[in-house]
Amino acid sequence: GVDRLRVLQGVLRRAIGDGMLRSAHDCSDGGLAVTLAESCLQGGRGARLTLDGVGGDAPARHDIVLFGEAPTRVVVSVAPDAASALQKLCEGAGVPATVIGTVGGDALRVLVGNDEVDVPLTTLREAHEGGIPQALGVD
């Protein structure tokens, strides 16, 4: 609820103020899959991710993990030397945090269970910039 969102925002403000974060993007519009794609496009860098630990201890349905829209779920990127400090900050505030992968390369590679998505950034950019006009048959 509102309290969880307030605590998360406090953690993010502190992490930003301490210079821990390189990027942050919430998952409230399109879910985790859209957030990851948009983050890669905005940063111009790919990522290699494993999402098996996302969503709690119980295995979640892949569609919920990838497309569930939650205002209290945020994807952040940090320098490797800031990861443990961010983890401690989150733990101290009672905010669950899961490391899901690394940034780099020229593709978004996501492993969820036995399913893998491997999409070059050029393909993501074409879909993002031309998806609606292409679907409508407009050039």
Side-chain angles (χ1 to χ4, degrees):
V2 173
D3 289 336
R4 289 180 64 193
L5 186 57
R6 186 176 297 125
V7 171
L8 173 63
Q9 289 174 347
V11 166
L12 291 171
R13 280 194 302 276
R14 170 98 185 266
I16 291 167
D18 290 351
M20 292 182 203
L21 302 186
R22 288 185 171 172
S23 69
H25 193 308
D26 75 295
C27 298
S28 64
D29 187 17
L32 183 57
V34 171
T35 296
L36 294 171
E38 288 178 348
S39 294
C40 286
L41 291 174
Q42 288 170 359
R45 299 175 72 193
R48 185 177 297 264
L49 311 162
T50 302
L51 303 181
D52 289 335
V54 174
D57 295 331
R61 289 183 9 210
H62 295 174
D63 60 333
I64 293 172
V65 169
L66 291 171
F67 300 105
E69 296 177 339
T72 55
R73 179 179 284 172
V74 177
V75 173
V76 300
S77 64
V78 299
D81 61 352
S84 65
L86 180 60
Q87 191 77 31
K88 287 178 186 173
L89 176 62
C90 289
E91 286 173 11
V95 172
T98 304
V99 175
I100 60 172
T102 58
V103 174
D106 60 359
L108 174 58
R109 294 178 175 90
V110 180
L111 181 64
V112 185
N114 293 325
D115 298 321
E116 184 173 13
V117 175
D118 187 345
V119 183
L121 290 183
T122 53
T123 302
L124 277 178
R125 188 161 311 284
E126 288 170 8
H128 185 262
E129 293 174 356
I132 292 175
Q134 184 178 16
L136 295 175
V138 178
D139 288 331

